Amino acid sequence: MIQITNEESFDVLDKNGETTGVVKPRSKVHRDGDWHRTVHVWITDAKGGVLLQKRSAGKETYPGLWDISSAGHVQAGSTHEAAAIREVREEIGIRVREEELHYLGTVRQCYCPGDRPIRDCEFARVYVVKKTLSLRELRLDPNEVDQVQRVRLESLEKRVAANDPVLVPHPDEYPLLFAFLS
């Protein structure tokens, strides 16, 4: 019997970020702690603002904390750029073009909370999109995002330096963002 599921599938990577040829469903990748690809998209504006999203309370990782403008997994066989464009559209309802994505670098991170059966080990490609938006034009997916806010870069830098507990920690990523925007 064939089981039909809507669950996303991911390319499994080795510890160096190279594809292994193995494709697994999301639940098994997170259960087994397999390395996989993700994208992080920071949306900034010309006035020094950075868009943050408050993660939905139902998220597997960091529920209810303030995070990257938009982020998500790269589905098996997809490109990082296609995933970035898709995630921004799905999570906050805006369209970006591939040429608007400014690649900052790739960070390797693994999140293993003690209270949940998940080991989220990922290679995240980090992008910045410079786009002036009205918060009213955003269309938030309530399964992903509870709310958004625009913060000044200087304020975000201070909050990160103070280890603000309401921010998702991105110790290798924040320096990439701050260096690019400074």
Side-chain angles (χ1 to χ4, degrees):
M1 174 181 229
I2 297 174
Q3 182 179 358
I4 298 174
T5 178
N6 289 335
E7 187 174 10
E8 298 173 298
S9 291
F10 305 147
D11 293 311
V12 174
L13 308 178
D14 65 20
K15 65 181 180 177
N16 299 312
E18 301 298 323
T19 57
T20 63
V22 175
V23 174
K24 290 171 69 173
R26 175 190 182 114
S27 61
K28 291 184 179 173
V29 165
H30 285 170
R31 176 198 69 196
D32 299 341
D34 294 317
W35 290 99
H36 55 286
R37 300 178 298 152
T38 62
V39 291
H40 294 175
V41 181
W42 294 92
I43 299 175
T44 65
D45 63 30
K47 297 178 182 177
V50 178
L51 184 70
L52 298 180
Q53 68 159 267
K54 185 175 185 184
R55 295 173 61 82
S56 169
K59 298 295 287 179
E60 283 182 301
T61 57
Y62 300 109
L65 296 186
W66 289 96
D67 201 5
I68 299 159
S69 309
S70 181
H73 292 87
V74 179
Q75 296 176 8
S78 185
T79 66
H80 289 93
E81 294 78 15
I85 291 165
R86 175 181 48 81
E87 289 294 340
V88 170
R89 187 182 67 250
E90 288 177 0
E91 289 186 0
I92 59 175
I94 62 166
R95 296 193 182 278
V96 296
R97 298 179 319 277
E98 187 170 338
E99 57 270 15
E100 292 178 287
L101 298 169
H102 300 279
Y103 173 67
L104 301 187
T106 299
V107 295
R108 183 176 179 229
Q109 57 192 22
C110 198
Y111 175 67
C112 306
D115 62 338
R116 295 182 183 206
I118 181 174
R119 290 177 39 212
D120 190 10
C121 299
E122 57 188 43
F123 283 87
R125 261 201 201 178
V126 182
Y127 296 96
V128 166
V129 171
K130 292 188 174 187
K131 194 174 197 78
T132 301
L133 302 166
S134 163
L135 296 183
R136 290 186 306 274
E137 69 186 280
L138 303 179
R139 299 293 171 251
L140 309 182
D141 177 345
N143 295 316
E144 301 284 338
V145 181
D146 279 344
Q147 62 188 69
V148 293
Q149 67 175 323
R150 185 177 292 115
V151 297
R152 299 214 33 89
L153 176 62
E154 300 80 21
S155 172
L156 182 58
E157 287 175 312
K158 287 177 185 172
R159 291 172 65 185
V160 168
N163 293 313
D164 187 336
V166 301
L167 292 175
V168 173
H170 294 291
D172 296 326
E173 186 167 341
Y174 287 124
L176 292 174
L177 176 68
F178 299 154
F180 179 79
L181 295 177
S182 296

